[in-house]
Amino acid sequence: MAADRRSSWLKGVLDLLVLSCLTDGESYGYEIAKSLAEAGLGEIKGGTLYPVLNRLEEAGLVEAEFRAAERGPGRRYYRLTGPGRTHLAAESEAWTEFHRAVRGKLHAGGSTT
């Protein structure tokens, strides 16, 4: 039950978290998933992550570039675009306000005052 609840919460904010993984520069899917896991968000599988990356790319929030590797398969590297940075800043502020409201309500113990 807790995993299902956590999955639902994550679904609402995963796009924002993926964008945040790209603030310091470009990265590829496995590294993004690893960063999210290290942040305590659990394992994000490729079947969840890559549709998010594709959606962000289609929206013009990230750009992707395929690079061949000397060894092993090539990788698609993602980087934030200018509109992606703007979107991340605005949505981060909105999420912070929402989080503050939820936290306030939870800590109020359900009181209506």
Side-chain angles (χ1 to χ4, degrees):
M1 181 74 161
D4 291 340
R5 185 174 36 238
R6 197 171 163 97
S7 176
S8 293
W9 294 339
L10 187 58
K11 185 180 286 188
V13 73
L14 187 56
D15 289 20
L16 185 60
L17 293 170
V18 169
L19 289 173
S20 75
C21 288
L22 300 172
T23 57
D24 291 333
E26 64 187 16
S27 191
Y28 55 96
Y30 174 77
E31 286 296 321
I32 293 169
K34 185 176 161 187
S35 174
L36 294 171
E38 288 171 355
L41 298 166
E43 179 185 2
I44 309 297
K45 298 186 184 223
T48 299
L49 179 61
Y50 289 103
V52 168
L53 287 164
N54 289 336
R55 186 170 55 250
L56 294 172
E57 185 178 8
E58 287 174 9
L61 303 176
V62 301
E63 294 175 333
E65 175 185 351
F66 181 80
R67 295 185 196 154
E70 287 185 28
R71 292 179 161 190
R75 294 182 176 138
R76 252 175 104 72
Y77 283 82
Y78 299 88
R79 67 184 156 277
L80 278 177
T81 61
R85 286 188 187 283
T86 301
H87 181 79
L88 175 59
E91 292 301 309
S92 292
E93 182 59 32
W95 174 257
T96 300
E97 289 175 23
F98 180 73
H99 174 265
R100 195 175 300 126
V102 169
R103 188 173 181 170
K105 184 61 177 164
L106 292 174
H107 288 296
S111 92
T112 57
T113 56

